[in-house]
Amino acid sequence: MTQIFNFSAGPAVLPKEVLQQAAAEMLDWHGSGMSVMEMSHRGPEFISIYKQAEADLRELLAVPANYKVLFMQGGGLGQNAIIPMNLLGCCPQPGTIDFIHTGSWSGKSIKEAKRYANVNVAASSEASGFTGVPPRESWQLTPGAAYLHICTNETIDGVEYNFVPEVDARTPIVADMSSHILSRSIDVAKYGVIFAGAQKNIGPAGLTLVIVRDDLLGEALNICPSAFHWKTVADHESMFNTPPTYAIYIAGLVFDWLKRNGGVAAMEQRNIEKARLLYAALDADDFYRNRVAPEYRSRMNIPFYLRDESLNEQFLAGAKARGLLQLKGHKSVGGMRASIYNAMPIEGVQALVDYLNEFAGR
């Protein structure tokens, strides 16, 4: 096969070793005579896969004992509805949710939450074109809000939080970490809920991770479907309904790969190096531009624009010819985007940098 580097924002690149192991185990997992795809989710074989995946994730993120790890379905968009249905039951109705609007994904969350509660956009960077996170001192938070929702890394706009917000201890922070979970060290205990679609930095589409503090379980609205009720899911160890078994298996292989490669701390250092390399190439002259304020630039998702956008198709064609794939920006913002998740080797980033320099030179 020709060497390719996949810069897709999701579904995204997976570690080569993980794909090779999955291929080797496709027909017969550990002598069971079955593919993981064929296993009962309640059988001992899959239960062992699930328990190991959960244990490894807890170890990688140092998840405190008073948090539940849930393996769910529905993606980040699904959680935009599932979260308010699970957290508004203890509030005087209608409850209020605070949001910080930093890009496309927090915007989608705001729109969905309005179906269930009053929404207060406590701060927004929309007026500046989503080039950063509004200063903490500008936030107009609601006393007694049900929770504060933030998207700590905006996949489309390339904005990443460089701090954990300080808020009233009674207000849990709900964080959408879909596109940078496991890429940097985090203090789970500072959040009430963390959720992430797996298809960006963990595994295939179909799996959504939820990490939720115990005291936030059992506060669901009566309209919350049983399959999406966090306490029900937690009480059944994510087996209330059939979970996305193969996606959990692949996620477990990725967790093991991370552990064998130094864990989250080591991965963060590699991600810092990769991002520094790519941003330096984009900033070298004005042929390319990234619109995000340097202090809020994402390490995972790097949107950029050509000075002369009439060259976009030529740029993409040349990139494809060199095995640099999925560089076209999201349709809502245009331009280009390179997603350099954990599984993207630095060789891939260097190949992109070499092409950026060559194309600009021509």
Side-chain angles (χ1 to χ4, degrees), residues 6-66:
N6 176 12
F7 294 93
S8 173
V13 62
L14 286 166
K16 184 177 180 180
E17 299 95 310
V18 166
L19 295 175
Q20 290 172 331
Q21 183 175 349
E25 297 176 346
M26 175 60 74
L27 298 179
D28 183 2
W29 182 81
H30 295 199
S32 66
M34 295 180 287
S35 170
V36 175
M37 290 189 205
E38 303 172 300
M39 292 176 180
S40 166
H41 61 293
R42 303 188 193 282
E45 296 87 359
F46 182 74
I47 292 298
S48 70
I49 292 171
Y50 159 77
K51 288 188 176 296
Q52 188 64 57
E54 181 185 348
D56 287 346
L57 178 64
R58 284 184 172 276
E59 179 181 343
L60 286 163
L61 291 179
V63 178
N66 65 321

Side-chain angles (χ1 to χ4, degrees), residues 217-283:
L217 298 171
E219 304 291 354
L221 295 171
N222 290 333
I223 64 169
C224 185
S226 299
F228 297 147
H229 193 300
W230 286 340
K231 188 175 189 306
T232 300
V233 176
D235 288 346
H236 290 82
E237 297 186 301
S238 300
M239 301 291 166
F240 177 72
N241 63 333
T242 305
T245 54
Y246 199 75
I248 293 171
Y249 159 68
I250 296 293
L253 296 185
V254 172
F255 300 155
D256 181 63
W257 174 81
L258 284 167
K259 289 174 60 179
R260 288 186 283 105
N261 284 275
V264 173
M267 201 59 59
E268 181 170 14
Q269 291 307 306
R270 295 173 200 172
N271 290 327
I272 290 171
E273 182 181 358
K274 290 187 297 184
R276 184 183 295 127
L277 178 63
L278 184 47
Y279 281 119
L282 295 172
D283 292 341

Side-chain angles (χ1 to χ4, degrees), residues 87-147:
L87 294 182
L88 290 172
C90 62
C91 303
Q93 296 301 309
T96 297
I97 306 169
D98 282 344
F99 278 87
I100 308 302
H101 191 193
T102 52
S104 298
W105 281 101
S106 50
K108 291 176 185 291
S109 302
I110 289 167
K111 183 178 179 181
E112 183 66 26
K114 287 179 177 179
R115 297 162 60 91
Y116 305 95
N118 294 321
V119 165
N120 170 46
V121 179
S124 174
S125 58
E126 186 172 13
S128 67
F130 299 124
T131 57
V133 177
R136 173 62 186 86
E137 59 271 18
S138 72
W139 297 8
Q140 300 295 312
L141 299 174
T142 305
Y147 59 91

Side-chain angles (χ1 to χ4, degrees), residues 70-75 196-199 202 204-209 244 247-248 251 255:
L70 311 179
F71 293 86
M72 299 184 69
Q73 300 173 70
Q199 70 274 14
I202 294 174
L207 169 65
T208 309
L209 297 177
I248 293 171
F255 300 155

